[in-house]
Amino acid sequence: MTRRHLFDLLAAGAAGTLGCSARGPEMKAKATSMAERLDLAIIFVLWTNGLVPEAVDISGKSTGKLLVPEKPWLASVSPDGGWIAWTLQASFPPPIGSADAKVFFTDARSPIKTVQLERGYPLQLALSSDAGYLALTEMNAASPEARLIVLNPRTGDLYRDLSGLVTSLRTANVRLRISSNGQRLAVGASERFVIVDVQAGRVPLESEGHLQSLSPDGDFVAFINKTGTLVVTSLIARTSRELVLHWRTVVGLGPWSPDGRFLLGGIVGGLSVFTRLAVIDSATGEFTEIVRLVEGDRGEQSAWVNRRLLT
């Protein structure tokens, strides 16, 4: 995140609730410039339960499919967009799979690496930038409780067991987001989420809200509050502000862009009754619509991905 954008965020926070207009061409040009500079495309549905995810550019034009040798069952793209981690259906116990619990990861520059899970099978994945840390929720058939753990994916060694920090969520069905350096996690259920300091093993923030999205530097969290409003909270200044999109409602929230400027999100409203994936400026609330989503998809499974990870 640049100093200029940090200033924009803090200045916008002082203004409280922002009423924003969609200056379409200008906003689209800014998003396109960022995507071209970082060589990024957008996967609009990452978790496809056995289908290879497809990618588009800011204009909504197809740019290829995710470069994986087999159809992924679960997948996670790192905050910098440069790494992909995934599991196959075989990771799950019978009758869904064969209980061969493995996580694969690659940056498309080096051979695919594998992490063998010895104690259970993964429910959610979150891979940090440079594949330094892999967070996952792991379920074991012998235990009714899922574990939240962080591994060193290159060795398979356990780095932290954080299970005791998220018991307030009361569910194994959580959403995981990780910072670029792997030292902060956002763990959310349907109505609440917690921010976990991985190294310190503590929870600096617990809040109402859902579909939380952690900024790459781990300093901001975006989420949708109980009134359906998009909120951005600074974990440093402990201040929050609402982003009100012009004649639109955010119904799903994807990740921040690798530079910490934009958010992906599903929006409804305007002249369309359909949900569309949009790029949203996290400082101003301006947005540009990209592609219409299929029924039932709200944009929460979208991802920024480096084009080298595409076919």
Side-chain angles (χ1 to χ4, degrees):
M1 180 176 294
T2 64
R3 288 186 178 182
R4 174 61 182 274
H5 187 233
L6 178 60
F7 177 80
D8 289 344
L9 285 170
L10 295 175
T17 300
L18 302 178
C20 305
S21 62
R23 292 183 289 181
E26 181 180 337
M27 174 60 196
K28 184 176 181 179
K30 290 192 294 185
T32 300
S33 175
M34 180 277 301
E36 291 177 348
R37 175 170 52 86
L38 299 180
D39 200 22
L40 296 172
I42 295 168
I43 294 175
F44 50 93
V45 185
L46 183 61
W47 190 356
T48 58
N49 286 355
L51 298 177
V52 178
E54 298 184 9
V56 296
D57 61 16
I58 298 297
S59 298
K61 296 178 181 178
S62 177
T63 58
K65 293 185 177 182
L66 198 60
L67 187 63
V68 288
E70 300 177 80
K71 295 177 180 179
W73 195 257
L74 299 174
S76 170
V77 178
S78 61
D80 64 355
W83 288 80
I84 175 75
W86 72 95
T87 64
L88 304 176
Q89 186 173 351
S91 289
F92 294 85
I96 298 175
S98 59
D100 185 18
K102 295 176 180 177
V103 178
F104 306 92
F105 63 102
T106 186
D107 64 350
R109 291 171 172 165
S110 54
I112 295 172
K113 300 175 177 61
T114 305
V115 181
Q116 181 76 53
L117 303 180
E118 303 294 343
R119 294 186 55 178
Y121 57 94
L123 297 176
Q124 291 287 339
L125 304 173
L127 184 68
S128 70
S129 299
D130 297 326
Y133 299 92
L134 174 67
L136 57 91
T137 49
E138 181 185 58
M139 181 67 79
N140 189 309
S143 172
E145 301 293 334
R147 293 199 307 161
L148 172 61
I149 58 176
V150 180
L151 305 175
N152 179 337
R154 299 177 188 276
T155 64
D157 294 338
L158 179 67
Y159 177 62
R160 289 285 189 274
D161 186 334
L162 304 168
S163 306
L165 299 180
V166 295
T167 55
S168 63
L169 298 179
R170 301 182 183 277
T171 178
N173 185 23
V174 298
R175 170 182 166 109
L176 288 182
R177 293 293 183 267
I178 194 168
S179 62
S180 287
N181 65 6
Q183 294 308 302
R184 274 194 174 150
L185 278 176
V187 188
S190 59
E191 296 180 352
R192 298 189 65 80
F193 68 89
V194 297
I195 302 298
V196 177
D197 184 320
V198 175
Q199 187 171 21
R202 64 184 183 89
V203 175
L205 177 70
E206 181 168 357
S207 176
E208 291 185 345
H210 65 288
L211 297 176
Q212 82 291 343
S213 185
L214 191 63
S215 65
D217 59 12
D219 290 344
F220 294 87
V221 61
F223 59 94
I224 299 174
N225 68 14
K226 60 183 179 181
T227 67
T229 302
L230 175 58
V231 178
V232 176
T233 293
S234 167
L235 301 175
I236 306 301
R238 297 302 180 96
T239 57
S240 297
R241 56 193 172 80
E242 297 180 354
L243 287 177
V244 180
L245 278 65
H246 184 66
W247 297 109
R248 301 292 191 279
T249 299
V250 181
V251 295
L253 201 55
W256 297 65
S257 58
D259 66 349
R261 181 67 189 259
F262 302 105
L263 285 158
L264 289 175
I267 62 174
V268 296
L271 298 177
S272 175
V273 297
F274 301 105
T275 302
R276 300 187 66 84
L277 186 65
V279 178
I280 304 166
D281 191 311
S282 64
T284 66
E286 295 171 353
F287 62 90
T288 183
E289 298 178 353
I290 302 170
V291 66
R292 173 183 162 184
L293 297 172
V294 299
E295 185 176 356
D297 182 21
R298 301 177 300 171
E300 68 269 29
Q301 290 297 331
S302 57
W304 300 95
V305 61
N306 192 285
R307 288 175 181 263
R308 71 171 181 268
L309 288 171
L310 303 176
T311 56

